[in-house]
Amino acid sequence: MIIQWFCFFKDSKLGFDISANQVSNYETLEYDVLVIGAGGAGLRAAIEASAAGVRVGLICKSLLGKAHTVMAEGGIAAALANVDDRDNWKVHFADTMRGGQYVNNWRMAELHAKEAPERVRELEAWGAVFDRTADGRILQRNFGGHRYPRLAHVGDRTGLELIRTLQDHGIHLGIEVHMEPTVVTLLKDGDRVVGAFGYDRERGRFKVFKSKAIVLATGGIGRAYKITSNSWEYTGDGQSLAYHAGAELIDMEFVQFHPTGMIWPPSVMGILVTEGVRGEGGILQNNKGERFMFTGIPEAYKSQTADNPEEGWRYTQGDKNARRPPELLTRDHVARCIVEEIKAGRGSPHGGVFLDISWIKEKIPNAAERIKKKLPSMYHQFMQLANLDITREPMEVGPTTHYIMGGVRVDAETQMSSVPGLFAAGEVAAGLHGSNRLGGNSLSDLLVFGKRAGEFAAKFSKESNGGRISDAQVEGSAREALEPFDNALKSPASGESPYQIQHDLQEIMQNLVGIVRREEELIRALDGLNKLQERARNISVHGHREYNPGWHTAIDLKHLLTVSEAIARAAIERKESRGGHFRDDFRNKDAAGGKMNIVLSKAPDGSMHLVREQIPEMPEHLKQIIAQME
Ligand SMILES: Cc1cc2nc3c(=O)[nH]c(=O)nc-3n(C[C@H](O)[C@H](O)[C@H](O)COP(=O)(O)OP(=O)(O)OC[C@H]3O[C@@H](n4cnc5c(N)ncnc54)[C@H](O)[C@@H]3O)c2cc1C
């Protein structure tokens, strides 16, 4: 079994010779279901597909166990009602819809709220060691936008436990794992997807993965921005692969800027400070010592939000009669409040605001021990990276690019995109979170929809034949991938650096398509991105294909340029402010905006085509749930 889990070159055969002076062969591997991405969504999909009895390949461009999911801290949202028995799927559904400001795919939100508890219990049965309540059940913590304590967690290392458990479980199912190949293009036979073309990062050799069905589980796009909590893998590959293969992207304007990233020292700027800090009683203050979050609480949340610090504190300590503190309002709102404080000159010395958990020593004995127990990673992160003891001093924090709500449009039940045979799950897919994701709802998304994607991809593969991969497609993909080397040979002295273009792209996105957006700046961004597209044609990379980071960056750039253009175009089109999309020139929500999604697809001439689409009417029983929870 273990051999099979780590088998790299099974059933391979050699293909054409692409270039005499470069590594020439490609290898073909064949599966029923190919899962691209080994984070929570990919692992869960692979487990389900494998359990259905089909042959499954799993690819990750980093090492197994290193996917971005491993970084997740706060927990998995699921209405288990272990800590507060008033919780149930209906409250979770209503919270998710309110958080997403009602542009969510309501069916996905319903399935997610209903199925998350079962997925968490299943994870426990597979060996996940969650923190416990006094009577031995899975402990749940408070998080922004969730009415009741809902996040099942393992200290602040929940993602690590999730990945470990899924890997341990998957190892027994005969899934074939390929570490470090990067998929560059999807291969099609007519309308349907039939494979993926990629290269292995270590040797630079090409690989063709032939498969009856493909699940994309490649995560997010954070590396399109300069300041981000995201790992190096987050270059929007899945969104771009799907788009170029003919799938639709929706909601790309909705990018989540997490309110609390580290801002000092500069080398660690953007690293996440979990919302769990606020869930455990942490407060936000400006340089005047004011808890600024108490001003400007949005109407939709007023009745659920504490109106004084004492009530907020009681909430974090489990008082069921207290309402949550305003620090636990949704991320979009908290991030904007922080930006306003900084702009008004009330920021911290390094350009953020203060997040203080040390103050809880005024309330409880052994506060330092409690903080270290509940937030061990945060304690070590600040000690080691900023030489700051969070049990004694406040942290300095500011917004950081964290998550994209938009992505590949999928069917709610099956997770199939508009391209037959192409499925997507996890952060790469869109719909569940609407305009703003609640913390904890990503890990549950991975489990619920990862499982569904695996199940339906396996079903699709059983019902279809393999299709055909044409040599011409593979050759075209290989030539395109090698262009940066060809450019360097043709004109060694000129040519663009991939790093410079990546840097310029991140500057554009950070400065012009960031947390506060304006029409004129967005248009400038689009113009800048067009120029970068032109420059990217001249990228040249020197050296050879064996572990060449310049080449990897050049290949990632195609994806970054595609998703950045999609974000900028959708942001221009949505002339209102909603969730993760704030327009300084249209500061309010607009009724029509609440009824539509922006859908992007690749037009036959290669340009990006955009349409507004009405959101289907929500059925009466779901409307009633929302009305009851107001
Ligand atoms: C610091 C931090 C803390 C977080 N905490 C929480 C939390 O507490 N709760 C919560 O719900 N959410 C949290 N999130 C968000 C959550 O972690 C992510 O949204 C989620 O893990 C995404 O999982 P995924 O399976 O979709 O993708 P990932 O885990 O990112 O996996 C993507 C996989 O795709 C592979 N891949 C990508 N491109 C290619 C390619 N071209 N070819 C081959 N393979 C490719 C990668 O190698 C990787 O294996 C947090 C995020 C961060 C950054």
Side-chain angles (χ1 to χ4, degrees):
M1 283 297 188
I2 292 172
I3 292 167
Q4 197 174 24
W5 178 251
F6 288 106
C7 169
F8 293 90
F9 300 117
K10 236 177 151 208
D11 291 350
S12 63
K13 67 177 189 224
L14 296 181
F16 69 93
D17 198 359
I18 181 74
S19 163
N21 63 352
Q22 286 163 349
V23 182
S24 54
N25 302 320
Y26 71 89
E27 183 188 11
T28 303
L29 300 111
E30 207 167 323
Y31 297 103
D32 297 314
V33 173
L34 177 72
V35 180
I36 306 175
L43 282 165
R44 190 61 192 82
I47 286 171
E48 200 62 23
S50 197
V54 299
R55 195 153 175 244
V56 179
L58 177 65
I59 313 178
C60 45
K61 77 178 185 185
S62 59
L63 297 174
L64 186 66
K66 294 275 186 186
H68 180 94
T69 298
V70 86
M71 295 161 76
E73 293 162 353
I76 312 171
L80 297 159
N82 286 354
V83 172
D84 194 319
D85 57 14
R86 291 171 297 179
D87 204 10
N88 58 54
W89 78 263
K90 293 180 183 172
V91 192
H92 193 181
F93 166 76
D95 285 352
T96 301
M97 293 299 295
R98 189 185 300 106
Q101 301 190 5
Y102 304 105
V103 291
N104 321 49
N105 178 319
W106 44 260
R107 178 62 179 151
M108 283 176 86
E110 181 187 6
L111 289 170
H112 168 254
K114 280 181 172 164
E115 294 176 10
E118 194 43 44
R119 295 287 76 79
V120 171
R121 283 190 209 103
E122 173 182 77
L123 206 62
E124 187 187 33
W126 291 349
V129 186
F130 287 104
D131 285 7
R132 301 268 146 201
T133 59
D135 61 355
R137 290 177 296 160
I138 295 173
L139 184 60
Q140 298 183 272
R141 66 159 47 121
N142 292 309
F143 240 57
H146 293 282
R147 186 176 285 211
Y148 302 121
R150 191 176 282 149
L151 266 68
H153 59 278
V154 183
D156 54 5
R157 294 175 183 144
T158 313
L160 174 63
E161 186 66 357
L162 188 145
I163 287 280
R164 184 196 68 74
T165 307
L166 292 177
Q167 280 182 198
D168 282 1
H169 189 76
I171 210 165
H172 303 293
L173 294 170
I175 300 161
E176 289 182 21
V177 178
H178 303 266
M179 290 192 251
E180 297 200 305
T182 299
V183 171
V184 180
T185 13
L186 295 177
L187 303 169
K188 288 178 75 181
D189 182 3
D191 280 348
R192 62 173 281 208
V193 77
V194 287
F197 172 85
Y199 68 99
D200 89 72
R201 298 172 79 82
E202 199 183 349
R203 308 291 302 275
R205 289 183 178 161
F206 291 135
K207 287 169 186 287
V208 169
F209 299 89
K210 189 168 187 289
S211 190
K212 292 177 187 164
I214 291 186
V215 179
L216 286 172
T218 49
I221 57 91
R223 290 283 154 172
Y225 288 83
K226 199 165 87 178
I227 302 174
T228 179
S229 64
N230 290 183
S231 72
W232 64 270
E233 294 168 308
Y234 269 26
T235 45
D237 299 14
Q239 293 84 344
S240 158
L241 289 168
Y243 167 83
H244 290 290
E248 292 165 328
L249 302 180
I250 59 166
D251 295 343
M252 291 297 284
E253 67 277 29
F254 297 127
V255 177
Q256 181 167 82
F257 298 91
H258 194 291
T260 57
M262 289 180 82
I263 57 162
W264 191 259
S267 57
V268 300
M269 194 180 274
I271 293 182
L272 194 77
V273 180
T274 176
E275 200 163 315
V277 175
R278 285 170 282 143
E280 299 297 339
I283 56 174
L284 287 166
Q285 289 176 312
N286 61 22
N287 64 15
K288 297 184 183 322
E290 294 159 344
R291 268 181 87 174
F292 55 87
M293 288 305 302
F294 275 101
T295 45
I297 296 167
E299 239 3 273
Y301 285 96
K302 264 208 170 121
S303 65
Q304 300 177 10
T305 309
D307 53 17
N308 64 80
E310 189 53 33
E311 184 183 6
W313 165 252
R314 282 193 285 110
Y315 175 92
T316 63
Q317 301 312 296
D319 181 343
K320 291 185 182 170
N321 297 315
R323 293 168 299 174
R324 68 179 158 233
E327 277 87 357
L328 290 178
L329 283 164
T330 53
R331 289 174 176 177
D332 54 329
H333 176 74
V334 181
R336 273 196 302 280
C337 290
I338 291 176
V339 169
E340 304 270 310
E341 288 305 303
I342 299 166
K343 271 209 218 144
R346 296 189 290 268
S348 63
H350 299 107
V353 293
F354 296 106
L355 171 62
D356 192 8
I357 183 78
S358 70
W359 81 280
I360 68 170
K361 59 182 173 280
E362 295 167 20
K363 294 283 185 186
I364 50 168
N366 304 325
E369 282 66 38
R370 160 97 77 99
I371 294 167
K372 285 184 201 166
K373 177 159 185 272
K374 287 288 187 183
L375 302 161
S377 299
M378 286 303 105
Y379 174 75
H380 289 294
Q381 186 172 307
F382 275 89
M383 267 317 234
Q384 280 161 22
L385 301 178
N387 197 22
L388 186 138
D389 182 349
I390 66 169
T391 67
R392 290 163 180 268
E393 288 173 84
M395 304 156 240
E396 276 189 76
V397 295
T400 179
T401 311
H402 187 57
Y403 187 88
I404 183 152
M405 277 66 74
V408 182
R409 185 188 217 177
V410 289
D411 174 70
E413 315 286 330
T414 64
Q415 297 288 289
M416 190 157 90
S417 70
S418 49
V419 175
L422 182 62
F423 297 75
E427 191 167 340
V428 68
L432 168 62
H433 309 291
S435 67
N436 178 50
R437 173 179 72 89
L438 299 186
N441 267 1
S442 171
L443 295 189
S444 42
D445 172 4
L446 312 183
L447 296 174
V448 169
F449 294 108
K451 176 190 184 293
R452 281 185 167 265
E455 176 185 341
F456 286 97
K459 187 164 182 284
F460 183 96
S461 77
K462 286 178 183 172
E463 290 165 1
S464 57
N465 63 29
R468 202 188 137 265
I469 292 178
S470 80
D471 285 348
Q473 259 191 86
V474 178
E475 279 169 44
S477 304
R479 284 215 176 82
E480 196 184 327
L482 293 174
E483 251 167 35
F485 290 112
D486 290 345
N487 290 343
L489 285 176
K490 274 187 234 149
S491 45
S494 60
E496 294 277 354
S497 149
Y499 298 112
Q500 187 59 50
I501 297 185
Q502 186 193 46
H503 170 269
D504 293 353
L505 178 141
Q506 289 170 340
E507 288 285 334
I508 288 177
M509 294 303 285
Q510 188 72 35
N511 299 331
L512 305 177
V513 199
I515 194 162
V516 176
R517 300 165 175 179
R518 291 173 200 90
E519 183 105 1
E520 170 267 322
E521 290 183 353
L522 291 168
I523 290 170
R524 254 199 297 143
L526 202 54
D527 184 47
L529 291 169
N530 282 338
K531 290 188 178 121
L532 291 185
Q533 300 261 21
E534 286 299 314
R535 283 173 55 194
R537 293 201 178 96
N538 280 327
I539 285 180
S540 69
V541 171
H542 299 272
H544 51 72
R545 283 159 59 177
E546 293 200 1
Y547 211 93
N548 185 331
W551 186 38
H552 303 170
T553 304
I555 285 177
D556 291 347
L557 261 176
K558 176 180 171 188
H559 305 311
L560 280 176
L561 282 161
T562 301
V563 293
S564 299
E565 182 183 344
I567 296 168
R569 281 193 189 281
I572 292 171
E573 184 67 15
R574 189 173 283 277
K575 297 187 194 321
E576 62 155 358
S577 292
R578 186 177 294 273
H581 171 68
F582 184 78
R583 287 282 300 256
D584 204 24
D585 42 358
F586 297 96
R587 296 176 74 93
N588 297 318
K589 280 199 272 292
D590 140 78
K595 295 198 167 83
M596 63 104 182
N597 295 124
I598 293 170
V599 184
L600 298 148
S601 57
K602 191 171 176 178
D605 66 358
S607 64
M608 199 171 270
H609 178 66
L610 179 153
V611 286
R612 292 165 160 240
E613 230 177 80
Q614 281 292 112
I615 297 171
E617 189 72 15
M618 192 186 291
E620 211 43 50
H621 71 280
L622 295 181
K623 278 190 190 160
Q624 274 173 20
I625 292 172
I626 287 173
Q628 282 160 13
M629 304 291 163
E630 280 302 320

